[in-house]
Amino acid sequence: MTTVAPAPVVAALRAALPADRVVDDPDVLASYAHDDAEWAPWELPAAVVRPLDAAQCQAVVRACLEHRVPVVPRGAGTGLSGGANATAGSVVVSVEQMTRIHEIDPAERLAVVEPGIVNDHLRAQCAKQGLWYPPDPASSPWSTIGGNVATNAGGMCCVKYGVTRDYVLGVQVVNGLGELVRLGRRTAKGVAGLDLAGLMVGSEGTLGLITEVTVKLRPARAPEHTVAGYFADVVAAGRAVAAITAAGLTPSALELVDKTCLEAVDAWKNLGISAEADVILLGRSDAPGAAGQAEAEEMIRHFDAAGATFSARAADAEEADALFAARRLAYPALERLGPVLTEDVCVPRAAVPEMLARIQATGERHRTTIANIAHAGDGNLHPLLITPVGDEPARERAQQAFHQIIADALDLGGTVTGEHGVGLLKRDGLTAEQTPENLAMQRAVKAALDPHGILNPGKVL
C-alpha cells in the first residue's frame, strides 16, 4: 500500500480549520479509507477531516484545490460500490458530525437537514409530526442522507414511492471551484433553469460536496397489510413477481429472500424462518381500508398460482416486523460467513424470473455460492457472492460470476446498478451499458463543475 507524504495540504487544512477537525493518525486513517464494497481498491488518505458545518466543508475543498489534492466525500461508509474509497494522498471528508435537522415544515411537507443525519433518525423525527420520508434502504439504521443522495439510494417501499431523487427538492454543495452554492428549490413546483440539484443526486461525490439537503415529505401512512409466500425456488418466486406486476398491482413492498440468506439470519438471530421456506416473497399493501385488504389477498392469489408451498397474511404487526427484519439482516448475516461481493442489477420486472434463473446457473457454472435478496417488485436484484476467507481461486471465480451477472442483466434490457451506484466496481459495466456519446456528455459535465478533477476522481467515469 502506497502512502504519500502530504505535509503541505495537511498544514493548509490545520491552518484553515480547528485542530480537532483534522486527523492524520495512520490507524484512524485506515478506518476511513474504504466503504463496505468487497475487493474494491483503496489506499491511505493523507488526512480525514470531520467538518461541523458548510463553511468548514468549503475550507477543505479550497485547501485541496490549492494543492490539487483529491477530495473523497464520505457519509457512514455503508456503500457497496467503492464510491467512498480513498486514493493515496487524498483527503477524506467525513460528514458524520453534520447531523442537524435545521427545519421540518409540516405545512410545506419538507425538511432541511445536514448530510450526516442517519436516515432512520430523520424518519423518526418526521414521524413525530405525522410526516414520512419514504426512501428506506436496508441500511437505513446506519446510512446517512448525504450518502443516500450521493448514490440515489432506493429501498423496500420504492416500488411504490420512488427513490431518493424523487424526494430531493434542493441541495447546498461545494463545487470543484470551492464555491458554496445552493441548488434547487423549496416550492412544490419549479422549472427555473437546468435541474442542477437533480444532477447532484446519484453523482457519488464527483460533482460536489453536499453540505445540506432539502427533502420532500409525505403524510404518515396507515398500518400496512403484510403477506408472505413460501416457494421451492427463486424462479417460481420470480414468476409470482411478474404476475403481480402484470396484474397492475402496486404493493408498497415486494421483497425476495432466499434460503441461504434465511439460514444465515437464523444462525445469527435465531428467528427460525429457514426451516419453513426455501424462498420467501414478502409483500405489503398500504392502500387504505378495504382496498388494502383486497390488494393483500390478490397478492396471495398470485403467490399460489405461481406455485407457493404456503401463503398467508401476517397475523399481527409483530410477525410482520419479524419477517421484514430477516430481509434487513440478510447482508450483515452473510458477512459473518466470509467476504461478500454484492451485485445491484435491475431488470424489467417481466424479466425477473429469467434473471433469477441465470443467476442460479451462473453460480453453478462458476462454483460460487450466490445468495439472493431483492427488491423484487421493481426488478432490483441483489445477488450476494460469498467466498471463503483467504480462498483466492474462489475469489477469482466469484469475480467472473459477478461480471457474468452484469452481462446477463444488460442482455435482458436492464442496468448495472439500481441503487448502489457505480463507484469503482461497476465502471466497466457502465461502459458496457452506455454509449460513448453518453459517457462523453457526462465527462463534459464533470469537467464544467470540477475543472481541476479533485472531486472523487476515478469514481463512476
Side-chain angles (χ1 to χ4, degrees), residues 6 53 60 65 112 138 182 229 248 265 307 315 367 384 419 428 435:
D53 56 34
V60 174
L65 181 61
V112 181
R182 189 173 295 279
V265 172
R367 293 178 291 127
L384 306 170
E419 60 185 6
D428 290 344
T435 65

Side-chain angles (χ1 to χ4, degrees), residues 236-259:
R239 286 197 295 267
V241 172
I244 288 169
T245 299
L249 299 182
T250 308
S252 53
L254 187 58
E255 297 289 308
L256 180 148
V257 189
D258 78 357
K259 193 172 186 67

Side-chain angles (χ1 to χ4, degrees), residues 78-281:
T78 60
L80 294 168
S81 64
N85 286 15
T87 55
S90 62
V91 171
V92 172
V93 183
S94 171
V95 297
E96 64 190 297
Q97 295 184 23
M98 294 178 63
T99 60
R100 289 181 287 269
I101 297 176
H102 292 305
E103 178 184 3
I104 295 177
D105 187 330
E108 298 296 334
R109 293 182 185 169
L110 62 79
V112 181
V113 304
E114 292 183 337
I117 188 167
V118 169
N119 181 299
D120 271 3
H121 295 174
L122 172 60
R123 290 159 65 89
Q125 293 304 310
C126 292
K128 292 178 180 179
Q129 301 196 41
L131 298 168
W132 176 47
Y133 176 67
D136 62 339
S139 61
S140 63
W142 316 285
S143 63
T144 64
I145 294 298
N148 293 171
V149 171
T151 59
N152 192 21
M156 297 187 192
C157 73
C158 295
V159 59
K160 183 171 185 176
Y161 291 102
V163 296
T164 299
R165 171 173 284 115
D166 300 304
Y167 294 89
V168 174
L169 292 171
V171 292
Q172 185 184 63
V173 302
V174 183
N175 64 20
L177 295 173
E179 300 165 337
L180 183 64
V181 294
R182 189 173 295 279
L183 309 172
R185 65 187 198 279
R186 289 174 57 97
T187 52
K189 295 170 65 178
V191 294
L194 299 179
D195 183 13
L196 297 180
L199 189 63
M200 292 293 163
V201 182
S203 64
E204 302 185 48
T206 63
L207 302 180
L209 175 59
I210 296 169
T211 61
E212 184 183 278
V213 186
T214 301
V215 296
K216 180 168 56 176
L217 305 175
R218 297 178 67 98
R221 298 184 293 171
E224 295 174 286
H225 302 275
T226 298
V227 296
Y230 296 176
F231 295 84
D233 57 65
V234 293
V235 177
R239 286 197 295 267
V241 172
I244 288 169
T245 299
L249 299 182
T250 308
S252 53
L254 187 58
E255 297 289 308
L256 180 148
V257 189
D258 78 357
K259 193 172 186 67
T260 303
C261 296
L262 295 172
E263 288 177 338
V265 172
D266 279 350
W268 183 25
K269 296 295 185 180
N270 196 31
L271 297 182
I273 299 175
S274 62
E276 302 176 4
D278 290 318
V279 181
I280 292 181
L281 268 184

Side-chain angles (χ1 to χ4, degrees), residues 334-359:
L334 289 167
E335 283 188 307
R336 292 159 50 88
L337 305 180
V340 179
L341 184 60
T342 305
E343 271 284 12
D344 175 44
V345 294
C346 190
V347 298
R349 287 169 290 190
V352 167
E354 173 65 18
M355 187 66 212
L356 288 168
R358 293 192 187 192
I359 291 167

